[in-house]
Amino acid sequence: MRSALLLLLSVPLSALAAPTPTDLSRWQHASECVAVLEAEVDGLRDQTRAGTGGLRPQMEQLTEQGFAFIGTAYKQGLREPLADQLLQAARQAQKAVSSDARRTQLQGCRAEGAVLLQDANGLERLLVANRAKARVERLLR
């Protein structure tokens, strides 16, 4: 009983309530950024597999930025299944976006992701970097 109470107390109150329109808008934006960053990483993966070298550091940086959006949204209270639904919708929406619009969105999301990483504490940055390296390694296998 005590551990259940401690677990409940560790969950942000925002995670227990229905999201506000502001939260939902913020999380949709984060999902859109994660989707555009993922798409860029996938493109770099394909280039790497085709023989282009030296793209791994950029893949890791993009992945770290995507994880920064995910971690920030989580700290704000976003949880599954809503997180999965928003990301899936953002991935679908990416298919209809022109390459120029996607490039502009990517630049904005990269800049915002860099700020999120900069604002994270040292432990968070370490965890993000570690998970990004592992994800890129898995993508390149």
Side-chain angles (χ1 to χ4, degrees), residues 34-137:
V34 170
V36 75
L37 291 164
E38 279 183 344
E40 186 69 9
V41 169
D42 288 346
L44 294 172
R45 177 203 56 210
D46 295 345
Q47 290 177 38
T48 299
R49 288 181 177 167
T52 303
L55 299 177
R56 185 185 192 107
Q58 187 177 1
M59 291 175 69
E60 289 175 3
Q61 185 180 51
L62 290 163
T63 303
E64 287 176 8
Q65 292 165 350
F67 285 172
F69 279 101
I70 293 167
T72 299
Y74 182 83
K75 289 187 336 186
Q76 295 167 347
L78 179 60
R79 299 291 184 273
E80 293 179 345
L82 181 57
D84 292 336
Q85 293 167 355
L86 291 173
L87 184 55
Q88 186 59 32
R91 287 173 177 152
Q92 283 296 106
Q94 279 294 308
K95 295 176 182 177
V97 175
S98 72
S99 60
D100 287 342
R102 190 175 314 121
R103 200 172 10 259
T104 299
Q105 184 183 25
L106 177 63
Q107 289 172 347
C109 290
R110 288 195 69 174
E112 190 176 345
V115 170
L116 292 174
L117 281 172
Q118 186 177 22
D119 291 345
N121 67 45
L123 178 60
E124 290 168 334
R125 283 193 300 271
L126 181 66
L127 290 171
V128 164
N130 181 287
R131 296 310 322 144
K133 286 180 195 255
R135 180 172 177 88
V136 170
E137 179 68 33

